[in-house]
Amino acid sequence: MDVAVSAAVCHPFPKSNALSNKSSIIRPKRLCFTKVPVVYRNASSGGRVGSIRAQVITEAPTKVEKVSKKMEEGVITNKFRPKDPYVGKCLLNTKITGDDAPGETWHMVFSTEGELPYKEGQSIGIIADGVDKNGKPHKLRLYSIASSALGDFGDSKTVSLCVKRLVYTNEQGEIVKGVCSNFLCDLKPGADVKITGPVGKEMLMPKDPNATVIMLATGTGIAPFRGFLWKMFFEKHKDYKFNGLAWLFLGVPTSSSLLYKEEFEKMKEKNPDKFRLDFAVSREQTNEKGEKMYIQTRMAQYAEELWELLKKDTTFVYMCGLKGMEKGIDDIMVSLAAKDGIDWTEYKRSLKKAGQWNVEVY
Ligand SMILES: Cc1cc2nc3c(=O)[nH]c(=O)nc-3n(C[C@H](O)[C@H](O)[C@H](O)COP(=O)(O)OP(=O)(O)OC[C@H]3O[C@@H](n4cnc5c(N)ncnc54)[C@H](O)[C@@H]3O)c2cc1C
Ligand SMILES: NC(=O)c1ccc[n+]([C@@H]2O[C@H](COP(=O)([O-])OP(=O)(O)OC[C@H]3O[C@@H](n4cnc5c(N)ncnc54)[C@H](OP(=O)(O)O)[C@@H]3O)[C@@H](O)[C@H]2O)c1
């Protein structure tokens, strides 16, 4: 199958003229039958989990090839390792939070010359310049890629990040600056940047262009979803036209820290039937009980609807950002599932197995 990609239709950043025609060959899958446990979810019985055993007698080999529901074909990992990183150039670096926001978040674009092919939802490693307190080169830090595979300029020759500058006061009352986030937020256009990876398969997009994709982000956890949403709504692909429902929940502290708001609003304006957008602004909004508006508080307002969607085999949930959000979201799911007599832990396990519940929190 040829994968040819044509022009991105809408770019908030200046676009280069060159648009690549990528092509890749996908080998036919070899089907293997063997003795396998099959776990199924029966939506008609409220999504309960059951299991059957299919026994097919075969000769060796016994390896089972799992057919993933996610876009895993041709995914490259670890092309560049810390000992020999790719050296890209910073092309653009801009603060995307308001001056009164608590903390700074920057959007940055690095050149890759097409040498660092990645998929939406992967991450890269960055090695900050300089040495640590032992005189050794800094260890890499991971960052979720914030661009689609085509990149912000539509030519598959760049990779973008969304980085929060880490600054905190330690127990001695000293102000400490995080090594890599400060290195990145301070990068000037033209500067070199050492990149490793790409890594990660957890957050790859679903293959099904008709899927319901529920994206749950806190702060810079928005990064992978910007990539998803550009591919869905800002780009034209020969082999992918999104026709499902994308639903983004984004939690941030203040309205001045709503990341990529204008882009998302433009997507919604152009695709009102395919894109739902809900913000949870924790320090400015509350629910009817006066509780702080966290992402799970906003989700709770659509609880029944979300639960109905979760019973479908074509719904994929992705969660990215602060570690604390995972428990908060689990808590609302436990009570929703219980109403249908379903054990959430067990149900979530089956969703995970099917690639429909994907979590990358830190
Ligand atoms: C898969 C993955 C993807 C990620 N994606 C992103 C992303 O897209 N954007 C992003 O901004 N970050 C992302 N991160 C986080 C990123 O990797 C770094 O951890 C972050 O930028 C901080 O690194 P640093 O070098 O600036 O801080 P460091 O110099 O490594 O300092 C961090 C350390 O400081 C200490 N510390 C931090 N805060 C406090 C505090 N309040 N009080 C006391 N001690 C404290 C902790 O010991 C912490 O480990 C991701 C992490 C992972 C694992
Ligand atoms: N792939 C990954 O694993 C990945 C990718 C990107 C980012 N990250 C991580 O995600 C984090 C994002 O931090 P940030 O500084 O960018 O975010 P931020 O701007 O501080 O926003 C985080 C939002 O989440 C709220 N929040 C705090 N505790 C919460 C909880 N228990 N449940 C739900 N919401 C909660 C915050 O509210 P209040 O502050 O008002 O309490 C705030 O509104 C970082 O730790 C980063 O390392 C991970």
Side-chain angles (χ1 to χ4, degrees):
M1 181 174 55
D2 274 351
V3 182
V5 174
S6 66
V9 291
C10 180
H11 287 273
F13 300 116
K15 211 172 88 180
S16 79
N17 291 330
L19 286 164
S20 70
N21 257 359
K22 282 206 310 180
S23 71
S24 69
I25 297 160
I26 295 165
R27 282 171 208 87
K29 282 213 161 54
R30 199 164 51 84
L31 289 177
C32 265
F33 295 95
T34 185
K35 192 176 169 184
V36 285
V38 179
V39 174
Y40 67 94
R41 267 181 308 112
N42 184 348
S44 60
S45 68
R48 257 174 274 268
V49 178
S51 91
I52 52 168
R53 256 169 206 284
Q55 220 167 348
V56 182
I57 295 160
T58 58
E59 292 168 11
T62 52
K63 193 171 159 264
V64 182
E65 234 176 84
K66 190 178 159 246
V67 181
S68 173
K69 284 188 182 176
K70 294 198 267 183
M71 289 188 186
E72 288 198 32
E73 289 96 352
V75 173
I76 292 166
T77 55
N78 291 310
K79 181 171 177 195
F80 292 95
R81 294 184 183 269
K83 284 216 165 86
D84 193 13
Y86 178 78
V87 181
K89 281 217 183 296
C90 174
L91 301 177
L92 178 156
N93 198 359
T94 182
K95 186 160 78 104
I96 55 170
T97 43
D99 290 341
D100 60 334
E104 285 178 14
T105 301
W106 290 67
H107 178 82
M108 53 202 73
V109 182
F110 306 139
S111 65
T112 64
E113 298 305 325
E115 292 294 321
L116 191 90
Y118 61 86
K119 285 273 169 86
E120 295 80 8
Q122 288 194 286
S123 298
I124 50 173
I126 300 290
I127 304 170
D129 284 355
V131 290
D132 64 17
K133 58 181 184 312
N134 302 315
K136 297 247 171 71
H138 288 300
K139 295 224 159 50
L140 72 83
R141 268 70 164 177
L142 288 175
Y143 293 89
S144 299
I145 294 172
S147 45
S148 71
L150 277 185
D152 286 358
F153 303 154
D155 59 4
S156 306
K157 289 183 176 177
T158 64
V159 62
S160 306
L161 298 182
C162 171
V163 180
K164 171 100 174 247
R165 187 192 287 280
L166 174 66
V167 184
Y168 64 92
T169 308
N170 68 10
E171 283 173 359
Q172 291 74 45
E174 300 154 338
I175 291 177
V176 184
K177 287 173 149 196
V179 170
C180 197
S181 59
N182 281 273
F183 165 76
L184 285 170
C185 294
D186 289 336
L187 267 184
K188 299 278 177 288
D192 284 348
V193 56
K194 295 193 265 307
I195 306 176
T196 65
V199 295
K201 291 190 173 178
E202 173 79 7
M203 301 293 281
L204 295 173
M205 290 175 76
K207 254 189 242 170
D208 179 4
N210 301 311
T212 294
V213 185
I214 299 174
M215 292 158 277
L216 313 173
T218 47
T220 48
I222 191 64
F225 307 136
R226 181 177 183 264
F228 285 23
L229 291 163
W230 269 55
K231 176 158 182 166
M232 289 168 173
F233 298 123
F234 276 175
E235 297 172 356
K236 281 199 174 127
H237 295 261
K238 241 187 188 174
D239 64 346
Y240 180 84
K241 182 170 184 341
F242 184 67
N243 233 335
L245 172 70
W247 193 350
L248 172 67
F249 288 87
L250 169 60
V252 292
T254 60
S255 36
S256 52
S257 32
L258 272 170
L259 307 169
Y260 308 110
K261 181 171 176 265
E262 288 76 19
E263 286 182 24
F264 299 145
E265 284 175 343
K266 190 176 276 180
M267 291 170 186
K268 190 170 162 52
E269 191 188 304
K270 294 226 156 91
N271 304 275
D273 303 333
K274 291 186 193 159
F275 186 33
R276 293 178 68 169
L277 179 60
D278 279 282
F279 297 131
V281 184
S282 59
R283 299 184 196 176
E284 294 173 12
Q285 301 173 330
T286 54
N287 65 5
E288 58 289 351
K289 290 187 211 151
E291 293 164 340
K292 204 167 178 175
M293 184 58 75
Y294 277 159
I295 184 168
Q296 58 270 27
T297 326
R298 180 67 75 210
M299 288 170 70
Q301 296 178 332
Y302 302 96
E304 301 300 332
E305 216 177 331
L306 285 167
W307 179 240
E308 285 310 310
L309 287 173
L310 266 176
K311 289 182 189 168
K312 295 186 178 162
D313 277 351
T314 49
T315 298
F316 292 73
V317 178
Y318 293 84
M319 192 188 304
C320 191
L322 282 180
K323 198 156 183 50
M325 71 191 281
E326 191 175 8
K327 184 178 176 307
I329 289 167
D330 265 344
D331 288 347
I332 61 163
M333 300 317 299
V334 166
S335 49
L336 279 173
K339 278 192 201 160
D340 274 352
I342 293 170
D343 175 69
W344 171 245
T345 312
E346 200 183 333
Y347 192 72
K348 188 170 77 169
R349 200 174 297 132
S350 75
L351 287 174
K352 276 190 172 171
K353 218 168 187 169
Q356 288 175 258
W357 189 266
N358 307 283
V359 180
E360 210 170 73
V361 290
Y362 186 65

